[in-house]
Amino acid sequence: MAWPAGVHSAAISQARPRLLSNVVLRQDHSATGGIHPYHAAIWHGSNVPQAVGQALQIAAGPSHGWGASSILMPTKYMDGQSLSPKDIDAIAVTRGPGMMASLSNGMVAAKTLASVWNKPLIYVHHMAAHALTPFFTEESPPAFPFLTLLVSGGHTMLVLAESVQKYQILATTSDDSIGDAFDKAARDMGIPWGGNTAHSNPGAALEAFAAAADITTVQELKEHLRKQKNIALPSAMRGQLAFSYSGLKATVTRAVQALPSDVKTRRALAHLFQEAAVAQISEKLRLVLQRTLDLPIKDVVCSGGVASNSFLRQHLRDTLDAAGKEGTRLLFPPLEFCTDNAAMIAHTGLLFYEQRTHDLSIQPVAKWNLEDL
Ligand code: AMP
Ligand code: ZN
């Protein structure tokens, strides 16, 4: 959750908002092999109050760092003044989509503060916040209409952003998300993450693991998989504007069981999995580019946790170039703003400031179509 503060309409246009703090307390789900709804709810219940407390403390302190709930303030507050509730104009909070228990925790915290401080609330759509992240991370934000790829643990979507409030979903997943596929593949391959490892999530751990794959082994394994029908990695939904990752997930599980378990083979398999997962994204981007030729698209924004994957980044650039779109910008938020963070909610709240309300009866929504903003 986040507080965009000092945003009287005149102040927004005069002073560029600055981020005073962005506290992210990550839950380590490695012990349960992934996000377990019960544990997520319990951890969230204690992490939300802590994150809120820390974010306010950091913002009230003399030096405003990029810590890890977020506070956006006009620059006048950046000269050592302390933040206090009177400086806060509204509280932005994620309303959905997502896990009900987590959303409820955040919303109750936001509503409590709004009630205590008598501030309005801005209810934010999580995916809109991912799509709009470059509006605060880029010196020169994307121009509407732009394409946005949302690749995360919960979503795999290619969306046409027509305005801050208007989105057209061009392709979405018919089953699992790409992030889910990375998580499952990493688990099947026994790639360590969380705890004392260098990686806080399975996807990043798989990327690092695959980066050390031996090219010859990769080629040999590719050839082998092609010949073995039941473990040939599928290129799903070819020619269609839809994603599917359940087939790839299931095939990787079978391949792990069927192949030798030495590290060399595992790294090669991780590489081929990543290649297949990313190829699907590139193919849909290519299709959409062909079908939106009449639209003046100058920017493609890629956000969500999987957007931090360097292999994906390179392939998307190559796809744009191969489609003759060398001049089209490909924007990725900095890593800390690719995965879930409160700064993107605070900033999106600022963009939706006109929708602020004192209505405390608004409920979280687990499923919320981006087209119904
Ligand atoms: P989000 O739902 O936006 O918080 O993103 C979390 C998802 O992103 C999880 O499924 C992670 O495994 C995945 N992820 C994070 N970093 C990477 C990476 N470098 N490569 C692939 N997937 C990643
Ligand atoms: Zn997200």
Side-chain angles (χ1 to χ4, degrees), residues 130 152-154 179-180 182-183 201-204 207 304-306 308-309 338-340:
H130 272 305
S152 69
D180 210 34
F182 267 92
D183 295 351
N201 67 76
E207 181 185 5
V306 184
S308 56
N309 185 288
C338 262
T339 43
D340 289 353

Side-chain angles (χ1 to χ4, degrees), residues 77-265:
Y77 291 108
M78 294 299 288
D79 53 9
Q81 291 185 38
S82 287
L83 175 89
S84 70
K86 70 173 174 11
D87 303 316
I88 292 171
D89 286 339
I91 299 173
V93 62
T94 307
R95 185 181 175 207
M99 273 195 272
M100 208 54 175
S102 307
L103 295 170
S104 300
N105 276 323
M107 283 186 64
V108 169
K111 287 178 183 176
T112 306
L113 288 176
S115 173
V116 170
W117 291 337
N118 191 27
K119 305 289 178 188
L121 286 150
I122 305 164
Y123 296 103
V124 172
H125 191 292
H126 179 82
M127 303 315 283
H130 272 305
L132 296 169
T133 296
F135 281 82
F136 83 95
T137 57
E138 294 294 321
E139 276 298 317
S140 155
F144 291 106
F146 62 87
L147 287 174
T148 177
L149 260 167
L150 304 170
V151 280
S152 69
H155 297 269
T156 311
M157 276 185 184
L158 189 46
V159 174
L160 179 68
E162 296 177 60
S163 72
V164 164
Q165 298 189 48
K166 192 156 180 249
Y167 301 89
Q168 198 183 324
I169 299 172
L170 303 173
T172 187
T173 178
S174 54
D175 42 57
D176 303 316
S177 70
I178 183 171
D180 210 34
F182 267 92
D183 295 351
K184 179 79 166 57
R187 199 159 64 215
D188 286 346
M189 291 181 211
I191 303 168
W193 62 278
N196 296 325
T197 72
H199 306 288
S200 60
N201 67 76
L206 188 144
E207 181 185 5
F209 185 73
D214 166 69
I215 276 308
T216 313
T217 315
V218 168
Q219 291 308 335
E220 286 168 3
L221 184 61
K222 201 172 193 169
E223 209 38 50
H224 178 72
L225 294 182
R226 226 196 311 266
K227 288 184 199 145
Q228 308 285 316
K229 276 213 165 55
N230 69 325
I231 51 170
L233 301 183
S235 49
M237 301 284 183
R238 270 195 95 75
Q240 299 174 55
L241 275 180
F243 297 99
S244 167
Y245 281 95
S246 63
L248 182 59
K249 267 170 69 172
T251 313
V252 166
T253 306
R254 285 198 297 275
V256 168
Q257 288 160 357
L259 295 170
S261 61
D262 61 284
V263 173
K264 219 170 164 187
T265 309

